[in-house]
Amino acid sequence: MADIHLSSISYVHGGPRPLAGLGEPGCDDELLTRDGLGSYRETTASSLEMACDVGAKTLAAAGVTPDFVLYATETPQEGETALATNAHLAVALGVPAAVVLNLAGHGCGNLGLLVQVADALLSRHRAGSALLVTADQARGRPRMMTGPLSVLSDGAAAVLATREAPAAGPALRVHGVAVRADAQGGTADVSPAGQRRTVLLGRSAAAGLKDVSGLGPRDYTHALFNNYRLSSQRFLAGAAGFAAAQLLPGPVGEYGHGFAADLLVNCALFFRAGAFEPGARLALSATGPNSWALIDVEVAG
């Protein structure tokens, strides 16, 4: 199977809000601050509006008209059907001939689903490019996650997936992706039984990724997770078999947990900061309520 490339990442968040003023149970837990959580992001824009924003920025930066647009959200446009959303997104992005696919159901792990489908479309069906977009907001739900795992922020991110390497700019070369699920539990279950299922799910995802990429957890330069509290990231890293020194946390305190957008946002920020060496192998870990995806990427530029 041929590798695919991810480039031209764009992202957007709502405005910063202090966690102390959220007014939800658990938001004043001192351990949250110790673990790097101090604020979250909130916006009045809808998920679809944010999706259109970041999608347009990515396409403008890449200068490409994609064959497919893959959109993942757990907060769809209120009162709008999937059919209408697809048309809205294609027209707003200026790509009315692109095939738009709605992909969701894995919550904060939706990035793994997006990359897996893009890999199939580009590697197996010979499409040239696909725009991947994820956008969510904590509309009508508590922002404090169970555990408390993190605090939900409103945000979106987009990236272009191509068969050919981009002519210029930083990129991630995807060598493989593995998604594993357990509908009876997941990372949100902090009971002893739930934690055991999480460990088993992480090990299964790591084994699946090794089958397709040939690398075990300790072979990666860094392991990146969603913007959960640092203690949770350490637990998840250990569950999948990564060493503590491999963990590369993102700016949890600044952005909170922006659903499935976190990993793309963090990669863009690390690229900008010069934190990635060319050739470094990154394990991107996208965990949802009932699933765990691991994506093997190489820093290509």
Side-chain angles (χ1 to χ4, degrees), residues 49 52 86 114 137 141 146 151 195 199 220 235 238 251 261:
E49 288 171 333
C52 293
N86 288 355
L114 288 170
Q137 58 182 166
R141 74 180 78 185
T146 56
V151 59
Q195 290 184 340
V199 170
Y220 289 91
F235 168 74

Side-chain angles (χ1 to χ4, degrees), residues 73-100:
T73 183
E74 302 298 340
T75 48
Q77 190 82 348
E78 190 170 354
E80 190 168 83
T81 65
L83 179 65
T85 293
N86 288 355
H88 184 144
L89 191 57
V91 171
L93 294 176
V95 290
V99 178
V100 183

Side-chain angles (χ1 to χ4, degrees), residues 91-110:
V91 171
L93 294 176
V95 290
V99 178
V100 183
L101 303 179
N102 273 271
L103 304 170
H106 289 260
C108 305
N110 278 337

Side-chain angles (χ1 to χ4, degrees), residues 143-232:
R143 289 189 180 272
M144 293 302 303
M145 303 175 71
T146 56
L149 191 62
S150 190
V151 59
L152 293 173
S153 286
D154 305 335
V159 66
L160 187 72
T162 55
R163 275 194 286 113
E164 305 298 330
L172 298 171
R173 183 176 181 179
V174 179
H175 291 286
V177 56
V179 182
R180 296 293 184 268
D182 178 2
Q184 294 181 313
T187 55
D189 186 350
V190 296
S191 70
Q195 290 184 340
R196 182 177 182 276
R197 284 195 295 268
T198 295
V199 170
L200 293 175
L201 193 60
R203 290 176 178 173
S204 177
L209 189 61
K210 186 172 184 179
D211 286 342
V212 297
S213 70
L215 297 187
R218 300 299 174 96
D219 296 323
Y220 289 91
T221 311
H222 299 295
L224 282 69
F225 287 76
N226 288 335
N227 285 348
Y228 304 130
R229 58 189 297 182
L230 297 183
S231 57
S232 296

Side-chain angles (χ1 to χ4, degrees), residues 2-292:
D3 295 335
I4 66 172
H5 301 81
L6 305 178
S7 63
S8 301
I9 300 172
S10 298
Y11 62 89
V12 66
H13 291 92
R17 303 286 186 271
L19 186 58
L22 181 57
E24 292 183 9
C27 70
D28 56 353
D29 185 348
E30 294 180 356
L31 295 180
L32 293 175
T33 302
R34 187 196 67 181
D35 271 354
L37 276 171
S39 62
Y40 64 95
R41 297 298 185 109
E42 183 177 12
T43 183
T44 57
S46 70
S47 294
L48 185 55
E49 288 171 333
M50 290 191 290
C52 293
D53 182 6
V54 294
K57 290 177 180 176
T58 287
L59 293 182
V64 171
T65 299
D67 300 300
F68 291 87
V69 176
L70 311 183
Y71 178 43
T73 183
E74 302 298 340
T75 48
Q77 190 82 348
E78 190 170 354
E80 190 168 83
T81 65
L83 179 65
T85 293
N86 288 355
H88 184 144
L89 191 57
V91 171
L93 294 176
V95 290
V99 178
V100 183
L101 303 179
N102 273 271
L103 304 170
H106 289 260
C108 305
N110 278 337
L111 180 64
L113 186 64
L114 288 170
V115 173
Q116 187 169 59
V117 173
D119 178 64
L121 291 171
L122 273 59
S123 298
R124 301 175 188 175
H125 299 290
R126 308 304 293 169
S129 61
L131 176 68
L132 315 186
V133 186
T134 181
D136 280 290
Q137 58 182 166
R139 183 186 65 214
R141 74 180 78 185
R143 289 189 180 272
M144 293 302 303
M145 303 175 71
T146 56
L149 191 62
S150 190
V151 59
L152 293 173
S153 286
D154 305 335
V159 66
L160 187 72
T162 55
R163 275 194 286 113
E164 305 298 330
L172 298 171
R173 183 176 181 179
V174 179
H175 291 286
V177 56
V179 182
R180 296 293 184 268
D182 178 2
Q184 294 181 313
T187 55
D189 186 350
V190 296
S191 70
Q195 290 184 340
R196 182 177 182 276
R197 284 195 295 268
T198 295
V199 170
L200 293 175
L201 193 60
R203 290 176 178 173
S204 177
L209 189 61
K210 186 172 184 179
D211 286 342
V212 297
S213 70
L215 297 187
R218 300 299 174 96
D219 296 323
Y220 289 91
T221 311
H222 299 295
L224 282 69
F225 287 76
N226 288 335
N227 285 348
Y228 304 130
R229 58 189 297 182
L230 297 183
S231 57
S232 296
Q233 289 194 48
R234 294 186 188 107
F235 168 74
L236 293 171
F242 299 104
Q246 292 172 278
L247 183 61
L248 185 61
V252 179
E254 182 177 359
Y255 291 108
H257 174 35
F259 293 81
D262 284 349
L263 289 168
L264 291 178
V265 174
N266 293 348
C267 283
L269 293 171
F270 285 131
F271 267 125
R272 187 181 305 164
F276 291 153
E277 292 289 334
R281 291 294 276 268
L282 313 177
L284 307 184
S285 179
T287 54
N290 303 306
S291 66
W292 193 318

